[in-house]
Amino acid sequence: MSTTRLLVLGLVVGHGTTHGYAIHHELVLWDADKWANVKWGSIYHALRQLTKEGKLASVEDPSGRVDYRITDEGHEAFMLLLRGALSDGGAHADLLSAGLAFLTALPRAEAIALLERRRAALEEERERTATIVGAGPDRAWKTPGTEHVPEMFALWHGNADHALQWTSGLIERLRGGAYTMADDVRA
């Protein structure tokens, strides 16, 4: 799953019609060049590839600037990427962050259901790593010089625990009416 594709599609959806410079400018404001490693070239590569795949339509104006708009196929791809980003329990902070940027494009109940899937995956990860972390020094790390490897599992366990708490909090905030979602009446 590509964070850059999700970001580019989401911004085109949000703007209706836009061009590469506007997408780049917004992503720089979001610091996506840092947390998602989105570079100028990757934006234009994504725009060209998404156009080639029929997910975006492009129109060149008289000045030579190319504007992009989403197609029906592109909107489906955006929603698929968004749903995957929000339900994935893996340690993909860039993908989750991109999904959160477009969270309100979903109906409230669907966003909650996707986050509940994420929470279930995080619970499984926390349980899996807890057994390794809990094994302590009795766990046989056969290769000399690898006695520190349990620190990696402790990190993963702590990350899953924190992500689980945060995800549960977001679910509760959404249940409480936080944010204007796609199916809410907009003023």
Side-chain angles (χ1 to χ4, degrees), residues 66-104:
V66 179
D67 285 327
Y68 298 89
R69 66 172 175 74
I70 200 83
T71 64
D72 290 342
E73 186 179 340
H75 194 268
E76 288 175 24
F78 164 67
M79 295 303 287
L80 183 65
L81 287 168
L82 176 58
R83 289 175 178 121
L86 292 173
S87 63
D88 187 324
H92 312 288
D94 60 330
L95 190 57
L96 176 60
S97 295
L100 290 172
F102 305 111
L103 174 70
T104 59

Side-chain angles (χ1 to χ4, degrees), residues 138-155:
D138 296 338
R139 185 170 173 106
W141 297 99
K142 303 290 185 199
T143 306
T146 61
E147 61 276 356
H148 62 283
V149 170
E151 294 295 340
M152 177 179 66
F153 291 99
L155 172 66

Side-chain angles (χ1 to χ4, degrees), residues 172-186:
E172 291 312 308
R173 288 187 293 282
L174 287 170
R175 284 189 177 137
Y179 314 115
T180 302
M181 303 301 288
D183 56 342
D184 292 336
V185 176
R186 299 192 193 263

Side-chain angles (χ1 to χ4, degrees), residues 1-20:
M1 192 175 306
S2 168
T3 301
T4 302
R5 288 171 72 92
L6 175 55
L7 289 167
V8 168
L9 287 169
L11 286 171
V12 174
V13 167
H15 287 277
T17 301
T18 193
H19 53 92

Side-chain angles (χ1 to χ4, degrees), residues 106-151:
L106 294 167
R108 186 173 304 279
E110 183 178 5
I112 291 169
L114 291 168
L115 290 165
E116 286 174 339
R117 282 182 29 206
R118 173 181 167 70
R119 180 167 56 188
L122 289 166
E123 286 171 346
E124 288 176 18
E125 176 66 5
R126 187 175 65 172
E127 184 75 24
R128 183 185 73 78
T129 56
T131 59
I132 297 167
V133 170
D138 296 338
R139 185 170 173 106
W141 297 99
K142 303 290 185 199
T143 306
T146 61
E147 61 276 356
H148 62 283
V149 170
E151 294 295 340

